[in-house]
């Protein structure tokens, strides 16, 4: 289906219901849906259905679920991205592209050289915004499972919690990709801020069994690095076609 919408609802066959306000407004005002149109709905937990539009109002759209079908499968490689928080659209871009490339979860990180600190309501609003970025990316790319965007945390805490079989930290000037003995089921990927991780932070990641990885002679921006690294990971261990 060309039209896909996320709805935080149970989606059993034959159910009739009114879409939540956000999806309803988008379907009616932006996509100009009419009774009889069909739309794909997914619940963010891997369940996807085909629904038919019954009625369209200014603020309400009623649909009926007419069939179920198998959504696009998730990547067999479970990647947890630790992404240093960056300003403005750069963080949105990093999350959006990571979702398109099959990331399983993202934790925004506070680092020594990062210049963003979030507290209170601002932190809550930003987390909701990032989760919506992930939802929109899923609507576009065909995923029916929305990756978790975890609350921001300090890098040392995130490092201490990692138990993934393969742990990688991007660091300029380091050797390039080294094939692993076996294909890992889970990977932790650490991306630093625009100014890079500090020497102490790199040392801390190595202490927690992270492997330093370089991506060539050019210094990539913090929002570009996850795109390149996730492409490498998915092409070797995941579902990205060569």
């Amino acid at each position: 289906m060309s039209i896909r919408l996320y709805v935080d609802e149970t989606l059993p066959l034959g159910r009739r219901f009114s879409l939540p306000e956000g999806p309803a407004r988008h379907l009616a005002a932006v996509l100009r849906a009419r009774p009889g149109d069909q739309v794909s709905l997914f619940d963010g937990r891997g369940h996807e259905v085909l629904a038919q539009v019954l009625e369209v109002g200014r603020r309400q759209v009623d649909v009926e679920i007419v069939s179920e079908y198998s959504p696009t499968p998730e990547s067999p490689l479970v990647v947890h991205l630790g992404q240093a928080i960056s300003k403005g659209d750069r963080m949105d871009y990093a999350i959006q592209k990571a979702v398109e490339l099959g990331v399983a979860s993202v934790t925004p990180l506070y680092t020594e050289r990062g210049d963003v600190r979030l507290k209170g309501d601002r932190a809550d609003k930003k987390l909701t915004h990032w989760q919506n970025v992930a939802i929109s990316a899923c609507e576009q790319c065909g995923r029916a499972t929305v990756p978790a965007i975890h609350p921001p945390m300090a890098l040392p805490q995130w490092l201490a919690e990692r138990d993934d079989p393969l742990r990688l930290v991007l660091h300029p000037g380091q050797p390039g990709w080294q094939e692993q003995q076996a294909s890992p089921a889970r990977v932790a990927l650490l991306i630093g801020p625009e100014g890079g991780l500090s020497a102490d932070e790199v040392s801390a990641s190595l202490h927690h069994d992270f492997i330093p990885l370089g991506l060539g002679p050019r210094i990539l921006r913090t929002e570009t690095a996850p795109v390149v690294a996730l492409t490498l990971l998915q092409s070797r261990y995941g579902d990205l076609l060569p």
Side-chain angles (χ1 to χ4, degrees), residues 109-127:
L109 297 175
Y110 297 121
T111 59
E112 290 183 20
R113 294 172 179 167
D115 54 3
V116 177
R117 294 292 185 269
L118 303 170
K119 296 181 180 179
D121 290 343
R122 184 167 174 242
D124 293 338
K125 290 179 181 178
K126 184 61 73 171
L127 183 60

Side-chain angles (χ1 to χ4, degrees), residues 198-211:
S198 71
D200 287 344
E201 288 173 329
V202 173
S203 295
S205 70
L206 300 182
H207 176 74
H208 288 282
D209 298 323
F210 276 71
I211 300 171

